[in-house]
Amino acid sequence: MRYVAERVGSLAAVTSPPYDVVVRPDGLRALETADPYNIVRLILPQAGTPADRHRQAAETLRRWQADGILAPDPEPALYVYEQRDGHLLQRGIIGALRLSPREEGVVLPHEEVMPHVVDDRAALMRATDANLEPLLLAYRSDGSVTGAASVVERTARLRPLLSTTTEDGFSHHLWRVTDPADLAEIAADLRHRQALIADGHHRWATYLRLREERTEPGPWDFGLVLLVDTARYPLRVRAIHRLLHQLSPADALAALGAPEGSAFRVRAVDGPLPQALATLAKAADEPGAGNAFLLAGDGGFHLLDRPDPALLARTVPTDRPEAWRTLDATVLHALLLRHIWQVPDTPGHIGYLHDAAAAVEQAERHGGTAVLMHPVREGVVHDLARQGIPMPHKSTSFGPKPASGLVLRSLALG
């Protein structure tokens, strides 16, 4: 299903970032007011209880279909999807991918998931009978313009089905692929590929859960994804930052032993935010610096690095490979959150934000602490995924992410 362009203000105004990237509540309000039909009303419905939220999303979706706001395309298709921002170009294929468990080695997750998020997404998908936004999956070809890549590049030279430019400056173009020869060429190429979940672990876990609930084959055996060939279009890897709602920066620093910094070396660093983040990046790359984090929320910035080896040995689990034990996210959750700060990993205590400026702004506004992270190297992600070792949840943010609202998949329509 897609929006009927003539029935909405603009295609840009009805799109949204993925549900877990929307900064709440400010970003949510901005999207809701951008257009009465913005997709955020489906992926993040607002009501008093979870059951009411999911029921509201289902009713909204049915109403938009009845009113001709959303309509199914006339025939099944795959879609070539392009995103551009200055010199950055990404192209991939959107379609329904047959689901497979981790053991089959076809789709590799690299992060753990939070059960309450999967519960919520599953209830939403059951209520709406739809995949409302595509996951981002990365696969790697040999880099040649053959197979799926050949179809993508040929199709991208044609006139697009739709084009729009979103507020973040990205232009989006979509083409429909229905030619049987093109579809067969894509399928033959991808049949033997392996994909990494770049973004959408909770939705993939939701797909698998909902498929397991059904005894007969059907549309729930598939899930909506965007597949990007990273040999041709490398993804960017960014960090996901933590917002500690109920811990002030003063209390966080006091618990660390600052100014002495017994658990970590703790130093005040100069702002503004871009300069402080540059200091974090430099510290993370210094030999012997170990794990590094940036604390903010009181108008200043404090760099944490060189953790105490004895504390690491006592608090970080030893039953995983060294690459996992030394991850910033592992050390953050095991040593800082659980051992030193004793912060439960629940929505009331920890928020996960992709934007560093938003994390700092919310921490300063509400008296919390922003813990800013340094990105994980992409090679580490792939190595751990191939070993079947999941990273802590919300360890990475791959992008650019597909805009939600350009392609939806109705399971009620088959």
Side-chain angles (χ1 to χ4, degrees):
M1 291 190 299
R2 294 186 298 104
Y3 279 96
V4 177
E6 295 77 19
R7 298 300 309 276
V8 298
S10 73
L11 289 173
V14 297
T15 63
S16 164
Y19 79 98
D20 58 338
V21 181
V22 176
V23 178
R24 290 170 267 193
D26 296 351
L28 182 61
R29 282 196 294 265
L31 290 164
E32 286 181 329
T33 57
D35 190 284
Y37 302 115
N38 189 283
I39 190 70
V40 78
R41 297 179 185 274
L42 300 181
I43 62 175
L44 285 175
Q46 298 302 293
T49 68
D52 287 341
R53 290 197 296 271
H54 305 142
R55 184 164 47 251
Q56 176 177 298
E59 292 172 353
T60 299
L61 178 58
R62 285 192 290 269
R63 185 172 66 253
W64 288 0
Q65 289 178 266
D67 294 345
I69 306 302
L70 286 167
D73 269 357
E75 58 184 316
L78 295 177
Y79 299 84
V80 171
Y81 176 47
E82 176 187 285
Q83 295 163 275
R84 283 183 183 267
D85 179 25
H87 297 296
L88 188 151
L89 170 65
Q90 179 172 287
R91 288 175 179 155
I93 298 169
I94 295 177
L97 178 67
R98 181 177 291 279
L99 306 180
S100 58
R102 169 69 181 83
E103 304 77 61
E104 291 186 14
V106 177
V107 175
L108 302 180
H110 70 269
E111 287 184 357
E112 297 170 343
V113 297
M114 295 178 280
H116 72 276
V117 178
V118 178
D119 291 343
D120 179 74
R121 291 295 104 182
L124 179 64
M125 285 192 204
R126 284 191 206 99
T128 57
D129 233 8
N131 299 154
L132 299 172
E133 45 185 348
L135 286 62
L136 175 61
L137 269 60
Y139 74 96
R140 191 167 185 84
S141 71
D142 61 7
S144 63
V145 189
T146 58
S150 175
V151 178
V152 167
E153 301 307 320
R154 289 199 310 270
T155 303
R157 292 195 291 267
L158 305 175
R159 182 177 179 178
L161 180 67
L162 66 84
S163 298
T164 190
T165 300
T166 45
E167 193 175 55
D168 58 7
F170 272 91
S171 63
H172 306 262
H173 305 281
L174 195 73
W175 294 262
R176 187 191 294 123
V177 180
T178 57
D179 182 87
D182 288 340
L183 297 175
E185 188 172 0
I186 292 171
D189 182 19
L190 298 185
R191 183 171 292 118
H192 306 291
R193 305 287 182 194
Q194 185 180 63
L196 178 78
I197 301 177
D199 185 69
H201 283 82
H202 290 89
R203 283 167 287 166
W204 183 259
T206 299
Y207 288 169
L208 294 175
R209 177 186 293 186
L210 295 176
R211 185 191 66 170
E212 290 169 1
E213 294 175 356
R214 281 145 180 89
T215 57
E216 297 295 327
W220 293 93
D221 293 338
F222 296 79
L224 187 65
V225 304
L226 165 64
L227 283 161
V228 173
D229 178 3
T230 55
R232 298 185 55 77
Y233 300 105
L235 298 175
R236 297 181 301 190
V237 187
R238 292 180 172 174
I240 301 178
H241 312 289
R242 274 60 171 168
L243 175 61
L244 311 183
H245 300 297
Q246 301 184 34
L247 182 70
S248 70
D251 289 343
L253 291 169
L256 287 165
E260 295 84 3
S262 58
F264 281 79
R265 181 174 68 171
V266 180
R267 293 176 286 161
V269 298
D270 293 332
L273 178 59
Q275 183 174 339
L277 288 172
T279 304
L280 171 64
K282 183 178 179 182
D285 294 333
E286 282 181 4
N291 307 96
F293 309 95
L294 193 66
L295 300 192
D298 59 357
F301 301 96
H302 287 84
L303 179 68
L304 279 58
D305 64 357
R306 301 184 185 274
D308 178 8
L311 266 179
L312 289 174
R314 291 205 311 271
T315 58
V316 175
T318 59
D319 59 346
R320 301 286 181 92
E322 182 181 0
W324 181 90
R325 297 196 307 271
T326 55
L327 288 169
D328 285 345
T330 298
V331 172
L332 171 65
H333 283 261
L335 175 53
L336 282 170
L337 295 177
R338 281 199 291 270
H339 180 71
I340 295 178
W341 292 331
Q342 298 180 17
V343 174
D345 194 357
T346 62
H349 287 86
I350 304 178
Y352 295 87
L353 285 83
H354 293 70
D355 184 78
V360 173
E361 189 273 332
Q362 290 202 27
E364 292 179 345
R365 184 191 302 181
H366 300 293
T369 297
V371 183
L372 306 183
M373 312 279 286
H374 188 64
V376 181
R377 294 191 307 278
E378 184 176 357
V380 173
V381 179
H382 286 273
D383 288 345
L384 288 172
R386 282 192 288 268
Q387 296 177 59
I389 306 295
M391 299 167 67
H393 54 258
K394 301 296 183 183
S395 292
T396 61
S397 175
F398 281 85
K401 305 177 192 302
S404 298
L406 296 180
V407 177
L408 295 74
R409 176 172 176 258
S410 169
L411 291 104
L413 298 176

